[in-house]
Amino acid sequence: MMGDNQIGELLRARRESLRPQDVGLPQGDRARRVPGLRREEVAVLAGISSEYYLRLEQGRERHPSAQVVAAIARALRFDRSTEDFLRLLVGLAPDRTVRPSTATADLTGFVEALSSTPAFAHDRMLTVIASNPLARAVSPSFTPGVNLVRDAFLDPALAALYLNRDEMRERMVAYLRAQAATPPADPALPALVDEMTRASAEFGALWARIEVKPASTGVNRLQHPQVGAFELRFERLCFAGSDDPVILIYHPEPGSPSEAAVERLRAGVAVAAASGQKPLASSQSTQTSAMSRQPASIVSE
């Protein structure tokens, strides 16, 4: 049963779960009589008075400013979801500031656990932030740090990999439009669009169409230099409670020649891992691949 002081309950539960060393404070020589951090320590970390923080925990203050909420969230090491919950409790709207996507241990572990199928994750600007070895065997473009729009439009080797290149590019730009239309707007998007418009007339023409499509699923036809032609369907997934980052999973039709091709790629990955060599991958130009790893670009699905 929830009490009538949810703000205080949230702050106290989090404070008591943290140790001084978790927030960069010395533990000290004396054993603590209470678990977790002291209220005074949280107040110092947040840059507010101990009396004000006490009033928050006791429920005597229920409407702190957005700045105070952000400071307390930092002090107590809240993740974004918990900070938004605190904002909701005090009557503030969720923070819609765009924050860079990062490959957390959970995200990386999930993607790598999908060892039987190519999988990677990208951020809102369609830059890869995590991938498994099988995805990188399909294409080096699925390497973390690669901006997939650059590769899709500027790398001739990647263009040769896709038998449905034109469809892939159209779908990708429409997907980027959908990302751009979803608030909050990413401040890096205008620079990316300007860069790509100057670098590729085809991208500029597709962007000017103003087509908006989520492209949560689809099929790509590939001509791989090691295993030949095959088809892969892709599905985009999101972590619960968030639409960023996006996990993209490729899968062939069961029992098809495409499944056999993926199985050959997977065998090559296993052999390479055992020998310490790089796995099979489509050949990309070193120069273009290096350029695609620079900041701000988009996705080749």
Side-chain angles (χ1 to χ4, degrees):
M1 181 176 179
M2 293 189 298
D4 61 357
N5 182 21
Q6 293 186 62
I7 298 171
E9 291 171 1
L10 173 62
L11 298 181
R12 184 163 49 253
R14 181 60 173 171
R15 175 173 61 81
E16 292 178 353
S17 72
L18 292 172
R19 301 168 299 172
Q21 55 267 39
D22 294 332
V23 295
L25 295 176
Q27 185 173 7
D29 297 329
R30 297 193 307 172
R32 294 190 167 223
R33 292 177 296 177
V34 294
L37 299 177
R38 299 184 178 95
R39 293 188 182 93
E40 295 79 5
E41 290 171 330
V42 177
V44 169
L45 290 169
I48 60 178
S49 72
S50 299
E51 171 60 26
Y52 187 80
Y53 181 79
L54 177 62
R55 295 205 307 271
L56 284 169
E57 274 206 8
Q58 292 179 340
R60 294 185 288 124
E61 171 58 62
R62 296 175 182 263
H63 300 288
S65 68
Q67 292 78 9
V68 168
V69 169
I72 291 175
R74 288 193 298 270
L76 292 175
R77 302 299 195 264
F78 282 170
D79 58 23
R80 185 160 191 166
S81 296
T82 308
E83 181 178 347
D84 281 346
F85 181 59
L86 176 58
R87 292 175 66 91
L88 179 65
L89 292 177
V90 304
L92 295 171
D95 182 5
R96 295 306 183 193
T97 304
V98 173
R99 304 177 189 179
S101 297
T102 57
T104 65
D106 287 344
L107 174 65
T108 300
F110 177 77
V111 170
E112 291 182 351
L114 299 170
S115 58
S116 64
T117 190
F120 65 91
H122 64 73
D123 63 13
R124 293 190 68 201
M125 300 300 289
L126 307 181
T127 298
V128 178
I129 59 175
S131 64
N132 64 13
L134 191 50
R136 297 191 291 274
V138 171
S139 172
S141 287
F142 302 147
T143 301
V146 172
N147 190 296
L148 294 168
V149 159
R150 277 200 187 96
D151 270 19
F153 284 89
L154 305 181
D155 187 351
L158 184 67
L161 176 66
Y162 283 83
L163 295 175
N164 61 333
R165 180 191 63 186
D166 293 342
E167 177 190 357
M168 177 269 290
R169 287 175 171 175
E170 291 174 8
R171 186 172 56 215
M172 176 178 36
V173 175
Y175 179 76
L176 182 65
R177 273 283 187 187
Q179 293 289 79
T182 303
D186 195 311
L189 179 64
L192 170 62
V193 172
D194 180 65
E195 172 197 349
M196 291 304 304
T197 300
R198 287 185 284 106
S200 168
E202 183 180 358
F203 174 88
L206 290 172
W207 184 259
R209 291 184 186 178
I210 317 182
E211 293 183 357
V212 182
K213 296 179 181 178
S216 58
T217 186
V219 175
N220 279 319
R221 295 184 293 110
L222 308 175
Q223 180 66 46
H224 196 279
Q226 275 77 40
V227 298
F230 62 102
E231 291 186 356
L232 290 174
R233 175 169 290 278
F234 66 85
E235 313 286 343
R236 280 193 169 91
L237 310 174
C238 299
F239 270 9
S242 173
D243 59 359
D244 179 33
V246 173
I247 299 169
L248 193 144
I249 297 175
Y250 277 115
H251 56 96
E253 181 181 351
S256 67
S258 294
E259 185 180 49
V262 172
E263 191 58 41
R264 292 197 298 275
L265 276 179
R266 185 166 55 182
V269 168
V271 170
S275 63
Q277 300 175 353
K278 291 184 178 180
L280 294 173
S282 60
S283 58
Q284 267 187 307
S285 71
T286 303
Q287 180 177 2
T288 306
S289 293
M291 181 178 65
S292 70
R293 285 159 176 76
Q294 297 174 1
S297 121
I298 66 183
V299 81
S300 63
E301 297 167 330

